Amino acid sequence: MIFILFLLTLLSHSTSNASVLDFCVADLSSPQTPSGYPCKSSVTIKDFVFSNFNEGNTSNFFKFSVTPAFVDQFPAVNGLGISTARLDLDIGGTVPMHSHRGASELIIVVQGRITAGFISSANEVFVTTLSKGEILVFPQGLLHFEFNAGKSKASAFLIFSSSNPGSQVVDLALFGNKLSSALVEKTTLLDHAQVRKLKAIFGGSG
């Protein structure tokens, strides 16, 4: 009994003296570690404000734009386990199939109509069309997509459960690098002409 009381006293003493930071605004001039960036030595209120959430440029192949406010763009979220981004979709715009290895994601539609969905690890498909004011969650690590389902521009805010959620786009992973065309054909069952066409679109070689 005395030993248990001693342990409880020791634990209480150690936790009461633990150092806890309210925040750790990232020092982007230092290398990032698995636990994030080191803290800036001096911060002001300006460090906690992100001012670049204007509509993005959607004049690209997929007609969409993502404006991130991750730790590299918004150092104040360093270590807080949260970040955000703005999504803009032109008419016909599509965000291709992708995943975020490090975060779950909320999509909050603020303009237009967006069809969004994800595929579970059991290969079950979940798809819906969202209107202004509606929210959908994508569980961490699962493949998901969005596209403009209306006849006008659409936009949404994306909230992530990580300051650096990471992203891997399936099309870029397959066709936007030096992965051998023969390997792509073997693993996707696409023919040579299709693979060469897609590599030309996404800038791949091999």
Side-chain angles (χ1 to χ4, degrees):
M1 182 67 179
I2 294 175
F3 179 68
I4 294 174
L5 289 173
F6 172 76
L7 287 178
L8 289 173
T9 302
L10 184 63
L11 180 61
S12 173
H13 177 75
S14 63
T15 54
S16 65
N17 286 281
S19 176
V20 178
L21 296 176
D22 291 329
F23 52 82
C24 178
V25 177
D27 178 1
L28 299 182
S29 65
S30 299
Q32 189 174 22
T33 70
S35 59
Y37 285 99
C39 310
K40 284 179 63 176
S41 58
S42 178
V43 299
T44 71
I45 186 61
K46 292 182 179 180
D47 289 298
F48 298 94
V49 177
F50 186 78
S51 304
N52 300 311
F53 246 22
N54 300 319
E55 183 176 347
N57 183 359
T58 57
S59 59
N60 53 65
F61 181 79
F62 285 110
K63 299 182 179 179
F64 86 96
S65 172
V66 171
T67 304
F70 303 156
V71 65
D72 288 320
Q73 299 81 29
F74 191 19
V77 301
N78 186 49
L80 298 183
I82 192 170
S83 60
T84 186
R86 172 175 172 150
L87 170 64
D88 292 294
L89 289 159
D90 207 342
I91 299 170
T94 300
V95 181
M97 197 74 72
H98 64 286
S99 65
H100 304 289
R101 67 185 184 279
S104 296
E105 175 185 351
L106 287 173
I107 173 173
I108 306 168
V109 177
V110 295
Q111 178 183 346
R113 299 174 72 245
I114 296 175
T115 295
F118 63 91
I119 302 171
S120 76
S121 56
N123 220 28
E124 189 172 1
V125 179
F126 298 86
V127 182
T128 189
T129 298
L130 304 168
S131 298
K132 180 179 178 180
E134 294 187 306
I135 299 173
L136 177 68
V137 63
F138 298 125
Q140 181 172 336
L142 297 185
L143 289 169
H144 58 281
F145 64 89
E146 301 97 349
F147 65 83
N148 189 335
K151 297 181 180 180
S152 60
K153 290 184 176 182
S155 58
F157 292 124
L158 313 176
I159 311 297
F160 299 91
S161 61
S162 169
S163 61
N164 190 14
S167 180
Q168 185 170 37
V169 179
V170 173
D171 292 329
L172 288 176
L174 288 173
F175 310 112
N177 52 38
K178 296 180 181 179
L179 183 61
S180 162
S181 294
L183 287 175
V184 177
E185 293 159 23
K186 186 74 173 177
T187 57
T188 63
L189 304 182
L190 295 172
D191 64 38
H192 184 72
Q194 290 172 315
V195 171
R196 299 303 296 174
K197 176 183 177 181
L198 290 166
K199 278 182 172 283
I201 291 172
F202 294 103
S205 60

